[in-house]
Amino acid sequence: MSKNLVTLSPEETIQKVTHTMEKYDVKEIPLIDDKKKLVGMVTYYDILDFVRADPNEKISNLKFMPPTVEKDTPIDDVASLMLQTAVEAIPVIDGNSVLGIISDYDLLTAFKNDPKLKSLKVRDVMEDEVNLLTADDTISGARRIMRFKNWDRLPVVDGNGKNLGLVISYDIIKKFLSKPKERMGWGPKGGGNKENPFSMPIKSIMRKQLPDIYFDDSLTDAIKKLLDKKLKGVQILDKDKKVIGMLFRRNVLDRVVEKKFKDGVWLTFSGFPLKLETVDSLKSYLSSNIKRIQRLVPELASINVHIKKLHGATEDKWNYEIDVSLTKLNGQREIVTNQNVQYGYNLMYTLDEALDRLAKLLERKYKKRGGKQYYAKR
């Protein structure tokens, strides 16, 4: 864990949090009260969602309560918890006191020489479904994709699909939080007029000086480059330098950690942070549909749930978009159909409906194949 802990009060402003993140090069900050007790955490993903807000707004409006671990918790368990809850840095506590924080960077450093990674290539673990941007695409469009995918960076390519660089959410936040008295997302233009900087092209903030990592590179070499540059993720290239994927720290952790719970299936979540008690409740509530799916796909290792949190009919009501995929014991990730997306206002009910729909799709495919388990390759 990192012992040089950076903390703030929940009464601080959004702008103070952003400046603190930049000063100490951290992306997640635990919030503590006057008794040094953990009362929440804020990440730069949260700020990205509210980048049009008043920079003097209190950060307490954006905080969430993260999962926690103790100093003697095995790192395998920490990695599992991180992947289950989609939280990329977890506070380490002793009673009510925060001792430090353990991030995906710390875990990747610990696991970089794991024997399970030695024989793997980058192509074995990378994300191959990537939204590609051009240098003239707007910052607003990039931000929208980042929020929905919960990715902090997107690759930028030329007209032939060749690599130009990355646009990173943290750079968007820094650009629009530089002036304390202006509202985020808007700046003055000559003559008192105002312009929307979100309509600016992403080439104005694009990063170019990044390591080249190719799909057939060894995974251990790629990990070293990620750690050396302290990158959460980087674009993956083919031999012609065309972008064909992304490699994130979580992809490596996902391969290292054993993907099986006591019932034989690992239920993973991504999209936005979930409280640990919420994850536990969902596992219990969804157990019957998990077992249905497991019977149909006996080589199943995990059910992967991606949750997008969208604004609903009113500002205080959220709509959830649920997308489900499967991972087999050999590490291959697959989906049943590109149309397996469920919407609803209640997270638990919507997720149960998504798994029920998935099970029914599998059952139909099972019957069509004459009893042979089957699901379509992504």
Side-chain angles (χ1 to χ4, degrees):
M1 71 179 185
S2 301
K3 297 179 181 178
N4 296 326
L5 187 63
V6 179
T7 62
L8 287 172
S9 162
E11 299 302 308
E12 294 290 359
T13 65
I14 295 176
Q15 187 173 57
K16 174 65 178 293
V17 173
T18 305
H19 288 332
T20 303
M21 287 180 174
E22 182 176 8
K23 179 179 179 180
Y24 294 99
D25 191 24
V26 296
K27 305 299 186 294
E28 301 88 8
I29 298 181
L31 305 176
I32 59 174
D33 60 17
D34 53 4
K35 296 181 180 178
K36 308 299 182 184
K37 181 181 178 181
L38 180 70
V39 294
M41 190 162 77
V42 64
T43 75
Y44 67 143
Y45 289 116
D46 305 311
I47 297 174
L48 184 66
D49 279 346
F50 287 84
V51 77
R52 290 181 183 271
D54 187 338
N56 295 311
E57 183 176 341
K58 290 183 179 179
I59 201 64
S60 57
N61 296 328
L62 307 185
K63 71 180 178 68
F64 70 98
M65 197 63 191
T68 58
V69 294
E70 298 178 349
K71 61 182 180 180
D72 295 324
T73 304
I75 57 172
D76 281 16
D77 293 346
V78 178
S80 294
L81 180 60
M82 192 173 289
L83 291 167
Q84 289 175 53
T85 59
V87 176
E88 296 174 346
I90 298 177
V92 183
I93 63 170
D94 181 12
N96 291 328
S97 301
V98 183
L99 302 179
I101 194 166
I102 184 163
S103 68
D104 54 357
Y105 178 87
D106 300 319
L107 288 176
L108 192 59
T109 301
F111 286 131
K112 63 182 179 181
N113 295 318
D114 191 285
K116 297 177 185 177
L117 306 178
K118 294 292 185 182
S119 61
L120 296 177
K121 300 287 188 180
V122 170
R123 62 174 177 264
D124 295 322
V125 302
M126 73 180 191
E127 302 272 359
D128 56 9
E129 291 189 355
V130 184
N131 293 87
L132 301 178
L133 302 173
T134 69
D136 292 323
D137 284 335
T138 65
I139 293 174
S140 176
R143 172 176 169 260
R144 188 180 304 113
I145 296 171
M146 288 174 179
R147 292 172 65 193
F148 284 172
K149 292 183 72 70
N150 200 37
W151 284 16
D152 77 320
R153 58 200 63 213
L154 293 169
V156 185
V157 298
D158 64 15
N160 296 315
K162 291 190 176 183
N163 178 44
L164 292 179
L166 278 178
V167 57
I168 298 178
S169 61
Y170 192 54
D171 294 333
I172 296 176
I173 294 169
K174 287 194 298 183
K175 184 173 183 63
F176 301 122
L177 277 175
S178 59
K179 296 181 180 180
K181 293 185 179 180
E182 292 179 4
R183 292 182 65 82
M184 297 180 210
W186 297 95
K189 191 178 181 179
N193 297 322
K194 290 190 175 182
E195 63 177 350
N196 180 2
F198 279 96
S199 64
M200 295 170 58
I202 57 176
K203 60 187 176 186
S204 63
I205 60 170
M206 180 179 68
R207 294 193 188 187
K208 300 178 182 179
Q209 303 302 318
L210 296 165
D212 287 341
I213 299 180
Y214 295 87
F215 75 105
D216 57 353
D217 287 349
S218 75
L219 184 58
T220 51
D221 288 345
I223 292 170
K224 185 177 186 301
K225 291 180 180 180
L226 285 179
L227 292 173
D228 287 347
K229 299 294 184 180
K230 293 188 176 181
L231 293 170
K232 280 187 176 289
V234 69
Q235 65 270 57
I236 303 303
L237 314 177
D238 66 9
K239 57 183 177 60
D240 297 319
K241 289 202 169 185
K242 292 184 178 180
V243 177
I244 58 171
M246 288 288 293
L247 178 68
F248 294 96
R249 293 174 189 169
R250 64 172 179 268
N251 299 133
V252 181
L253 298 180
D254 190 59
R255 183 52 63 97
V256 171
V257 176
E258 285 296 328
K259 298 182 175 183
K260 299 193 76 176
F261 286 125
K262 292 180 180 179
D263 62 358
V265 176
W266 191 18
L267 183 64
T268 71
F269 296 91
S270 62
F272 70 94
L274 293 174
K275 295 180 180 179
L276 183 56
E277 56 265 31
T278 302
V279 173
D280 290 338
S281 297
L282 287 172
K283 287 182 197 173
S284 176
Y285 185 77
L286 303 170
S287 61
S288 62
N289 274 325
I290 291 172
K291 290 175 181 177
R292 283 174 64 195
I293 295 170
Q294 187 182 14
R295 284 194 297 269
L296 292 162
V297 188
E299 70 273 31
L300 180 66
S302 67
I303 300 172
N304 317 301
V305 179
H306 185 75
I307 305 171
K308 296 178 183 178
K309 194 175 180 183
L310 313 175
H311 278 296
T314 61
E315 284 295 318
D316 60 347
K317 192 172 186 180
W318 293 96
N319 189 20
Y320 295 97
E321 177 182 307
I322 308 293
D323 190 9
V324 182
S325 64
L326 306 176
T327 302
K328 295 194 293 186
L329 292 171
N330 63 7
Q332 184 178 12
R333 179 167 291 187
E334 301 181 355
I335 59 174
V336 177
T337 169
N338 289 326
Q339 304 303 317
N340 189 38
V341 178
Q342 199 78 27
Y343 295 91
Y345 288 107
N346 182 292
L347 177 59
M348 189 171 290
Y349 293 162
T350 307
L351 183 51
D352 192 44
E353 290 171 357
L355 292 188
D356 179 66
R357 181 180 177 186
L358 178 60
K360 289 176 179 176
L361 286 167
L362 286 168
E363 287 166 353
R364 287 201 294 269
K365 290 179 181 292
Y366 179 83
K367 290 177 181 177
K368 288 180 180 179
R369 294 278 169 162
K372 182 179 180 180
Q373 284 82 4
Y374 170 81
Y375 47 106
K377 191 172 183 180
R378 174 176 282 182

